[in-house]
Amino acid sequence: MHQEERIFQILQALKVSTTLSNQDIMSMFNISRDTARRDIVKLVEEGVAVRTHGGITLPTLMTEIQSYRNRISQNIEVKRLIAQRAALYLADHKLGFLDVSTTVEELCEYIPDAMNVFTHSINNAERLMDKACDVNLLGGRLNRKNRFFHGGVTLAQMDDVCFDIVVLGAAAVHVDGLYYEESEDAEVKRKAVERASHVLLVVDDGKFLKTSRFRGAEFADIDVIVTNRMPPETVLGNIREAGCKLDVLEERR
């Protein structure tokens, strides 16, 4: 098969898979690593693919990744400020659950030494490694993409604990509650709320009215919401009706 034919088929495969490894290309055409490398170089030179570690991807995906990295960098200070404020609510609680969330992950830096912390997040456990607090990593089925455990084993372990406080994040805060991208993640949230005496939501204003798939909690489940800006009116009315306390950073400046 000529290189031009392989290039065309590689592009067709990229439209489906978005990314391909060197090994993928070698297997597709039963070609050597050197031949696959020459095809990759050709695609990159023509501007229709971008080189990655071990393969290629579509240029649009790299743009999205860069955009995501930029957003993370821009939001990190806001998340840190939210985490610092949220830490004030932990002082009187000895047994807590920390959710999977980049903002909750920031909160790990401010956990009181006397707390006994449960979490299903590998990232949280790593951030807590050097802290003096007790850390309990709940097991179960591993979600490799977002590095958390879920499923029946996780839920069963949570059934054995009554949490003084549960700290939740959210993929989206809509008019009827908190939403998440994965059903198994939302399921863990619901169980945590069920086992909690007090529930704290930490969320930046970019999550308000954002869309996501699975509802994990209602506003009536939440005691305090710590955020950086006042929620939109369409959300604010339901938050107040549910009796949630709002702690907004910009209001204290």
Side-chain angles (χ1 to χ4, degrees):
M1 180 183 294
H2 294 298
Q3 186 184 44
E4 290 77 10
E5 296 177 67
R6 290 198 304 273
I7 293 296
F8 176 77
Q9 291 191 28
I10 292 171
L11 284 173
Q12 293 299 110
L14 276 175
K15 289 179 181 179
V16 176
S17 301
T18 307
T19 61
L20 292 172
S21 68
N22 294 346
Q23 189 61 51
D24 290 335
I25 296 172
M26 291 165 60
S27 300
M28 284 171 62
F29 306 106
N30 192 26
I31 56 177
S32 68
R33 183 173 296 276
D34 284 343
T35 302
R37 182 184 59 78
R38 285 193 291 271
D39 288 350
I40 287 173
V41 169
K42 181 74 170 175
L43 286 159
V44 172
E45 287 178 346
E46 293 184 358
V48 293
V50 176
R51 196 78 177 258
T52 65
H53 180 68
I56 52 176
T57 188
L58 292 175
T60 53
L61 178 63
M62 294 304 294
T63 300
E64 291 170 2
I65 290 172
Q66 187 60 45
S67 175
Y68 175 75
R69 286 174 177 165
N70 290 339
R71 291 197 305 272
I72 290 295
S73 176
Q74 292 167 0
N75 288 340
I76 190 65
E77 184 58 30
V78 170
K79 293 174 187 287
R80 186 173 293 118
L81 291 172
I82 291 172
Q84 289 172 349
R85 179 68 56 77
L88 300 176
Y89 293 91
L90 301 181
D92 297 328
H93 299 284
K94 300 300 183 184
L95 185 61
F97 174 84
L98 299 184
D99 185 22
V100 175
S101 157
T102 53
T103 306
V104 175
E105 189 178 332
E106 284 300 313
L107 178 60
C108 291
E109 294 298 317
Y110 309 101
I111 293 294
D113 291 345
M115 276 197 75
N116 187 354
V117 178
F118 284 74
T119 186
H120 62 316
S121 163
I122 295 174
N123 288 0
N124 287 349
E126 289 177 344
R127 290 287 289 268
L128 291 167
M129 192 73 69
D130 297 325
K131 305 292 289 186
C133 62
D134 289 329
V135 182
N136 304 270
L137 180 60
L138 299 170
R141 186 177 179 184
L142 176 63
N143 180 307
R144 288 181 173 83
K145 177 183 176 183
N146 293 314
R147 292 164 56 85
F148 68 84
F149 294 100
H150 64 94
V153 172
T154 311
L155 301 178
Q157 291 174 80
M158 295 172 74
D159 269 332
D160 292 333
V161 187
C162 291
F163 301 111
D164 293 328
I165 189 166
V166 163
V167 184
L168 298 180
V173 180
H174 220 272
V175 293
D176 58 346
L178 317 185
Y179 280 78
Y180 303 90
E181 284 297 300
E182 296 155 306
S183 60
E184 60 264 29
D185 191 22
E187 186 176 42
V188 173
K189 269 65 165 175
R190 289 192 290 270
K191 176 60 69 173
V193 167
E194 177 187 313
R195 306 298 299 170
S197 296
H198 194 86
V199 179
L200 175 67
L201 171 66
V202 292
V203 64
D204 64 81
D205 65 311
K207 301 302 193 304
F208 293 124
L209 295 181
K210 188 176 177 181
T211 57
S212 195
R213 295 172 177 157
F214 302 99
R215 189 166 67 170
E218 302 176 9
F219 293 128
D221 298 321
I222 311 301
D223 295 288
V224 180
I225 299 174
V226 179
T227 186
N228 57 310
R229 291 182 181 172
M230 189 65 70
E233 287 297 328
T234 51
V235 177
L236 183 60
N238 290 342
I239 289 174
R240 286 175 169 163
E241 185 177 345
C244 299
K245 175 184 174 181
L246 262 175
D247 190 344
V248 184
L249 297 184
E250 67 175 14
E251 290 195 334
R252 293 196 180 186
R253 292 179 182 174

